Amino acid sequence: MTTRRILVTGSRKWGDVHRIRSVLAYHRVAFPDAILVHGNARGADRIAAQIWKSWGLPTEAHPVTNTEWAVNRGAGHARNRRMIEAGADICLAFIRNNSPGSTHCARWAMDAGIPTYLHVHTDS
């Protein structure tokens, strides 16, 4: 049996910790052996990783280094593409105000056939 992989993508300005915790709690029951794959960006990615780790569960971070940003302003998109290509069983996307990085990542996950669950917040 292979270990399940849950890909999280989200806005850097996402602040609703309770919503992330609730969504992760559901998937923790469904996939108790899962690894949480994330981009390690501030906001939703780090919130999700901290919650997952607090439950004693494994995470897999895919950060973009300062050097990568300096060389390529599209480094975040390239990182998202690499995470999707590495494979995932599901994608949880926490998108605030149509954030471009997480929106693109969710779209690419869907295009790759990964079941993707959108959690959207729009400021009024």
Side-chain angles (χ1 to χ4, degrees):
M1 182 169 128
T2 60
T3 301
R4 299 285 187 145
R5 295 169 60 82
I6 299 172
L7 172 62
V8 169
T9 185
S11 171
R12 289 188 172 116
K13 294 182 180 181
W14 187 278
D16 188 348
V17 175
H18 299 292
R19 188 160 182 194
I20 292 176
R21 182 176 283 114
S22 175
V23 170
L24 290 179
Y26 173 83
H27 291 286
R28 175 184 177 195
V29 171
F31 304 112
D33 65 334
I35 293 174
L36 187 86
V37 179
H38 62 95
N40 200 42
R42 67 184 178 273
D45 290 37
R46 284 193 193 152
I47 292 168
Q50 289 168 351
I51 291 168
W52 203 251
K53 285 179 189 177
S54 77
W55 293 334
L57 299 169
T59 66
E60 180 182 302
H62 292 263
V64 175
T65 66
N66 288 337
T67 303
E68 288 173 302
W69 280 120
V71 173
N72 177 8
R73 293 306 301 166
H77 289 296
R79 180 261 334 270
N80 291 345
R81 180 70 77 185
R82 287 192 307 269
M83 289 192 304
I84 291 164
E85 289 171 353
D89 295 286
I90 62 170
C91 174
L92 305 175
F94 298 92
I95 300 170
R96 181 175 178 191
N97 295 333
N98 299 311
S99 57
S102 53
T103 299
H104 287 128
C105 189
R107 186 175 309 125
W108 291 333
M110 287 184 256
D111 289 347
I114 299 170
T116 301
Y117 301 91
L118 303 175
H119 303 276
V120 178
H121 175 81
T122 303
D123 293 340
S124 302

